[in-house]
Every structure is written in structure tokens, then in C-alpha cells.
Amino acid sequence: RCDTMEIINKLQGGDQLTVRANDIIEFKRLKIQVTSQQERGTLFQLCFQLRRYYPNDPNNFETLFQTFTNPVKTHSHSTQLKTVGPEPEIIEIIPAAGLFSGGTRLCIIGSNFINSTNLRVKFGDEYDAPIVAANLHGSRTLICNQPPRNTIGIV
């Protein structure tokens, strides 16, 4: 916590790692499992420490270096989500292919689309796949523009 500097152990993916000389460590995904609201409106900081552990005593270590992130506010939209019915189903996309540079206007025909001013279409199943705005036309048709892509992918 930034306000009291209290350590809150609610981090998933932040397990202790063994680092050797010339190692590069990459954190693909860290997940804070508590929101700022749950902790009385606090901001959080992540602390990264480089420690030297002494042989035969895992509780005996020396902190060689540590750094803190800027304060971050954590939140979750999951408390605002509602079950709205069956998953959307895509039957056909017209045209079936677009340009790598993007901009192709797509018509997505399917079922179980929800009429909302905040419709989005995700292009791919990767964590960081591009997402674009879409418009609902009738109950079974979405219209959107294809984003630029470097590889062939799925919608």
C-alpha cells in the first residue's frame, strides 16, 4: 500500500525466481488479486527486489537492490458484469479476408448479439489481440472495420 507501506500478499505470478549472472527475467503477466476499493481506496506499488540468499539458510538473505513502481489504482469490472444469455455465435464474416493494412469493412452474421452502444470485436485469441468498435444492424449482424494485422488470424 502506498499510504501505509503495508505489504499485501495478493499478487499472482510474482513467485520468487532464481536469477543467475546475465539472466533476463520477463514477467508475462502479474495479477493483483485485491482492488483499491477493497483496501479502503489505497493505491498500490509493486516492489521488485534482488536478493542474495546464503547457503543452507533460506531465511537468511541480503537485499542487493530494490525498486518500486509508480503508484497504481487497481479495480475490477467483474462486480458490474451480469449474465445476459448465451454466448454470441459467428456464422459468417463477409468478406472472408481483409488487407494486412486494415480498414476493410466487415459484416459479421451470427446470433446472440446484444444491442449495446459499447459493442467490440476481438481479432484473435491472444491476450493483446486488437479490439475494434462495432455496430449492431438488426439482431444478427455486426458491422466493423478490420484492424491492421501482421499475421493471419481469427475473429
PDB file of all heavy atoms in Angstrom, residues 50-65:
ATOM      1  N   LEU A  50      16.171  -7.590  -5.648  1.00  0.00           N
ATOM      2  CA  LEU A  50      17.221  -8.537  -5.996  1.00  0.00           C
ATOM      3  C   LEU A  50      17.889  -8.923  -4.684  1.00  0.00           C
ATOM      4  O   LEU A  50      18.417  -8.069  -3.973  1.00  0.00           O
ATOM      5  CB  LEU A  50      18.235  -7.898  -6.952  1.00  0.00           C
ATOM      6  CG  LEU A  50      19.391  -8.787  -7.397  1.00  0.00           C
ATOM      7  CD1 LEU A  50      18.870 -10.020  -8.138  1.00  0.00           C
ATOM      8  CD2 LEU A  50      20.348  -7.993  -8.275  1.00  0.00           C
ATOM      9  N   ARG A  51      17.794 -10.212  -4.340  1.00  0.00           N
ATOM     10  CA  ARG A  51      18.309 -10.684  -3.051  1.00  0.00           C
ATOM     11  C   ARG A  51      19.404 -11.724  -3.253  1.00  0.00           C
ATOM     12  O   ARG A  51      19.366 -12.498  -4.195  1.00  0.00           O
ATOM     13  CB  ARG A  51      17.192 -11.334  -2.225  1.00  0.00           C
ATOM     14  CG  ARG A  51      16.077 -10.419  -1.847  1.00  0.00           C
ATOM     15  CD  ARG A  51      15.008 -11.213  -1.119  1.00  0.00           C
ATOM     16  NE  ARG A  51      13.925 -10.367  -0.667  1.00  0.00           N
ATOM     17  CZ  ARG A  51      12.826 -10.827  -0.102  1.00  0.00           C
ATOM     18  NH1 ARG A  51      12.670 -12.142   0.076  1.00  0.00           N
ATOM     19  NH2 ARG A  51      11.879 -10.003   0.290  1.00  0.00           N
ATOM     20  N   ARG A  52      20.330 -11.744  -2.324  1.00  0.00           N
ATOM     21  CA  ARG A  52      21.348 -12.810  -2.269  1.00  0.00           C
ATOM     22  C   ARG A  52      20.999 -13.681  -1.072  1.00  0.00           C
ATOM     23  O   ARG A  52      20.939 -13.215   0.060  1.00  0.00           O
ATOM     24  CB  ARG A  52      22.738 -12.223  -2.084  1.00  0.00           C
ATOM     25  CG  ARG A  52      23.794 -13.336  -1.898  1.00  0.00           C
ATOM     26  CD  ARG A  52      25.179 -12.801  -1.589  1.00  0.00           C
ATOM     27  NE  ARG A  52      25.628 -11.973  -2.703  1.00  0.00           N
ATOM     28  CZ  ARG A  52      26.336 -10.854  -2.552  1.00  0.00           C
ATOM     29  NH1 ARG A  52      26.655 -10.433  -1.345  1.00  0.00           N
ATOM     30  NH2 ARG A  52      26.719 -10.162  -3.589  1.00  0.00           N
ATOM     31  N   TYR A  53      20.729 -14.955  -1.347  1.00  0.00           N
ATOM     32  CA  TYR A  53      20.441 -15.908  -0.282  1.00  0.00           C
ATOM     33  C   TYR A  53      21.720 -16.645   0.086  1.00  0.00           C
ATOM     34  O   TYR A  53      22.523 -16.973  -0.776  1.00  0.00           O
ATOM     35  CB  TYR A  53      19.358 -16.904  -0.720  1.00  0.00           C
ATOM     36  CG  TYR A  53      17.983 -16.285  -0.742  1.00  0.00           C
ATOM     37  CD1 TYR A  53      17.534 -15.573  -1.850  1.00  0.00           C
ATOM     38  CD2 TYR A  53      17.149 -16.398   0.360  1.00  0.00           C
ATOM     39  CE1 TYR A  53      16.281 -14.995  -1.869  1.00  0.00           C
ATOM     40  CE2 TYR A  53      15.888 -15.829   0.352  1.00  0.00           C
ATOM     41  CZ  TYR A  53      15.463 -15.119  -0.757  1.00  0.00           C
ATOM     42  OH  TYR A  53      14.222 -14.552  -0.758  1.00  0.00           O
ATOM     43  N   TYR A  54      21.855 -16.919   1.354  1.00  0.00           N
ATOM     44  CA  TYR A  54      23.053 -17.605   1.834  1.00  0.00           C
ATOM     45  C   TYR A  54      22.803 -19.104   1.908  1.00  0.00           C
ATOM     46  O   TYR A  54      21.705 -19.547   2.244  1.00  0.00           O
ATOM     47  CB  TYR A  54      23.482 -17.033   3.190  1.00  0.00           C
ATOM     48  CG  TYR A  54      23.903 -15.591   3.042  1.00  0.00           C
ATOM     49  CD1 TYR A  54      23.041 -14.553   3.369  1.00  0.00           C
ATOM     50  CD2 TYR A  54      25.154 -15.276   2.530  1.00  0.00           C
ATOM     51  CE1 TYR A  54      23.413 -13.235   3.197  1.00  0.00           C
ATOM     52  CE2 TYR A  54      25.541 -13.957   2.360  1.00  0.00           C
ATOM     53  CZ  TYR A  54      24.670 -12.937   2.691  1.00  0.00           C
ATOM     54  OH  TYR A  54      25.042 -11.641   2.501  1.00  0.00           O
ATOM     55  N   PRO A  55      23.823 -19.897   1.563  1.00  0.00           N
ATOM     56  CA  PRO A  55      23.666 -21.359   1.533  1.00  0.00           C
ATOM     57  C   PRO A  55      23.200 -21.907   2.888  1.00  0.00           C
ATOM     58  O   PRO A  55      23.546 -21.386   3.940  1.00  0.00           O
ATOM     59  CB  PRO A  55      25.066 -21.872   1.205  1.00  0.00           C
ATOM     60  CG  PRO A  55      25.824 -20.702   0.668  1.00  0.00           C
ATOM     61  CD  PRO A  55      25.171 -19.476   1.231  1.00  0.00           C
ATOM     62  N   ASN A  56      22.381 -22.923   2.790  1.00  0.00           N
ATOM     63  CA  ASN A  56      21.922 -23.687   3.956  1.00  0.00           C
ATOM     64  C   ASN A  56      20.986 -22.921   4.881  1.00  0.00           C
ATOM     65  O   ASN A  56      20.690 -23.400   5.966  1.00  0.00           O
ATOM     66  CB  ASN A  56      23.118 -24.225   4.769  1.00  0.00           C
ATOM     67  CG  ASN A  56      24.047 -25.061   3.915  1.00  0.00           C
ATOM     68  OD1 ASN A  56      23.582 -25.783   3.037  1.00  0.00           O
ATOM     69  ND2 ASN A  56      25.339 -24.946   4.159  1.00  0.00           N
ATOM     70  N   ASP A  57      20.548 -21.708   4.494  1.00  0.00           N
ATOM     71  CA  ASP A  57      19.617 -20.961   5.341  1.00  0.00           C
ATOM     72  C   ASP A  57      18.707 -20.107   4.447  1.00  0.00           C
ATOM     73  O   ASP A  57      19.019 -18.959   4.141  1.00  0.00           O
ATOM     74  CB  ASP A  57      20.371 -20.078   6.329  1.00  0.00           C
ATOM     75  CG  ASP A  57      19.432 -19.434   7.349  1.00  0.00           C
ATOM     76  OD1 ASP A  57      18.199 -19.659   7.262  1.00  0.00           O
ATOM     77  OD2 ASP A  57      19.931 -18.699   8.218  1.00  0.00           O
ATOM     78  N   PRO A  58      17.560 -20.664   4.019  1.00  0.00           N
ATOM     79  CA  PRO A  58      16.689 -19.945   3.095  1.00  0.00           C
ATOM     80  C   PRO A  58      16.072 -18.672   3.688  1.00  0.00           C
ATOM     81  O   PRO A  58      15.569 -17.843   2.968  1.00  0.00           O
ATOM     82  CB  PRO A  58      15.600 -20.971   2.742  1.00  0.00           C
ATOM     83  CG  PRO A  58      15.639 -21.976   3.834  1.00  0.00           C
ATOM     84  CD  PRO A  58      17.037 -21.976   4.377  1.00  0.00           C
ATOM     85  N   ASN A  59      16.117 -18.508   4.999  1.00  0.00           N
ATOM     86  CA  ASN A  59      15.576 -17.304   5.626  1.00  0.00           C
ATOM     87  C   ASN A  59      16.616 -16.202   5.782  1.00  0.00           C
ATOM     88  O   ASN A  59      16.298 -15.106   6.218  1.00  0.00           O
ATOM     89  CB  ASN A  59      14.973 -17.639   6.993  1.00  0.00           C
ATOM     90  CG  ASN A  59      13.780 -18.575   6.846  1.00  0.00           C
ATOM     91  OD1 ASN A  59      12.976 -18.423   5.938  1.00  0.00           O
ATOM     92  ND2 ASN A  59      13.692 -19.551   7.727  1.00  0.00           N
ATOM     93  N   ASN A  60      17.843 -16.494   5.458  1.00  0.00           N
ATOM     94  CA  ASN A  60      18.922 -15.526   5.605  1.00  0.00           C
ATOM     95  C   ASN A  60      19.275 -14.970   4.222  1.00  0.00           C
ATOM     96  O   ASN A  60      19.764 -15.692   3.362  1.00  0.00           O
ATOM     97  CB  ASN A  60      20.146 -16.189   6.246  1.00  0.00           C
ATOM     98  CG  ASN A  60      21.236 -15.189   6.571  1.00  0.00           C
ATOM     99  OD1 ASN A  60      21.022 -13.974   6.531  1.00  0.00           O
ATOM    100  ND2 ASN A  60      22.407 -15.699   6.886  1.00  0.00           N
ATOM    101  N   PHE A  61      18.992 -13.671   3.990  1.00  0.00           N
ATOM    102  CA  PHE A  61      19.292 -13.060   2.697  1.00  0.00           C
ATOM    103  C   PHE A  61      19.706 -11.609   2.894  1.00  0.00           C
ATOM    104  O   PHE A  61      19.467 -11.002   3.929  1.00  0.00           O
ATOM    105  CB  PHE A  61      18.096 -13.153   1.743  1.00  0.00           C
ATOM    106  CG  PHE A  61      16.882 -12.392   2.215  1.00  0.00           C
ATOM    107  CD1 PHE A  61      16.725 -11.044   1.901  1.00  0.00           C
ATOM    108  CD2 PHE A  61      15.891 -13.021   2.950  1.00  0.00           C
ATOM    109  CE1 PHE A  61      15.611 -10.342   2.335  1.00  0.00           C
ATOM    110  CE2 PHE A  61      14.784 -12.329   3.381  1.00  0.00           C
ATOM    111  CZ  PHE A  61      14.631 -10.987   3.074  1.00  0.00           C
ATOM    112  N   GLU A  62      20.295 -11.083   1.845  1.00  0.00           N
ATOM    113  CA  GLU A  62      20.707  -9.683   1.808  1.00  0.00           C
ATOM    114  C   GLU A  62      20.031  -9.052   0.593  1.00  0.00           C
ATOM    115  O   GLU A  62      20.090  -9.603  -0.507  1.00  0.00           O
ATOM    116  CB  GLU A  62      22.232  -9.602   1.673  1.00  0.00           C
ATOM    117  CG  GLU A  62      22.771  -8.213   1.485  1.00  0.00           C
ATOM    118  CD  GLU A  62      24.271  -8.224   1.193  1.00  0.00           C
ATOM    119  OE1 GLU A  62      24.880  -9.309   1.112  1.00  0.00           O
ATOM    120  OE2 GLU A  62      24.824  -7.129   1.032  1.00  0.00           O
ATOM    121  N   THR A  63      19.344  -7.920   0.771  1.00  0.00           N
ATOM    122  CA  THR A  63      18.736  -7.222  -0.352  1.00  0.00           C
ATOM    123  C   THR A  63      19.807  -6.381  -1.036  1.00  0.00           C
ATOM    124  O   THR A  63      20.344  -5.443  -0.435  1.00  0.00           O
ATOM    125  CB  THR A  63      17.563  -6.329   0.111  1.00  0.00           C
ATOM    126  OG1 THR A  63      16.589  -7.153   0.747  1.00  0.00           O
ATOM    127  CG2 THR A  63      16.934  -5.609  -1.064  1.00  0.00           C
ATOM    128  N   LEU A  64      20.119  -6.729  -2.293  1.00  0.00           N
ATOM    129  CA  LEU A  64      21.155  -6.023  -3.042  1.00  0.00           C
ATOM    130  C   LEU A  64      20.599  -4.787  -3.745  1.00  0.00           C
ATOM    131  O   LEU A  64      21.291  -3.783  -3.900  1.00  0.00           O
ATOM    132  CB  LEU A  64      21.779  -6.955  -4.078  1.00  0.00           C
ATOM    133  CG  LEU A  64      22.407  -8.235  -3.529  1.00  0.00           C
ATOM    134  CD1 LEU A  64      22.843  -9.141  -4.656  1.00  0.00           C
ATOM    135  CD2 LEU A  64      23.568  -7.899  -2.609  1.00  0.00           C
ATOM    136  N   PHE A  65      19.349  -4.872  -4.190  1.00  0.00           N
ATOM    137  CA  PHE A  65      18.737  -3.760  -4.910  1.00  0.00           C
ATOM    138  C   PHE A  65      17.232  -3.914  -4.833  1.00  0.00           C
ATOM    139  O   PHE A  65      16.708  -5.020  -4.828  1.00  0.00           O
ATOM    140  CB  PHE A  65      19.182  -3.783  -6.389  1.00  0.00           C
ATOM    141  CG  PHE A  65      18.560  -2.704  -7.217  1.00  0.00           C
ATOM    142  CD1 PHE A  65      19.049  -1.409  -7.184  1.00  0.00           C
ATOM    143  CD2 PHE A  65      17.472  -2.986  -8.031  1.00  0.00           C
ATOM    144  CE1 PHE A  65      18.469  -0.409  -7.959  1.00  0.00           C
ATOM    145  CE2 PHE A  65      16.885  -1.988  -8.793  1.00  0.00           C
ATOM    146  CZ  PHE A  65      17.392  -0.701  -8.758  1.00  0.00           C
TER     147      PHE A  65
END
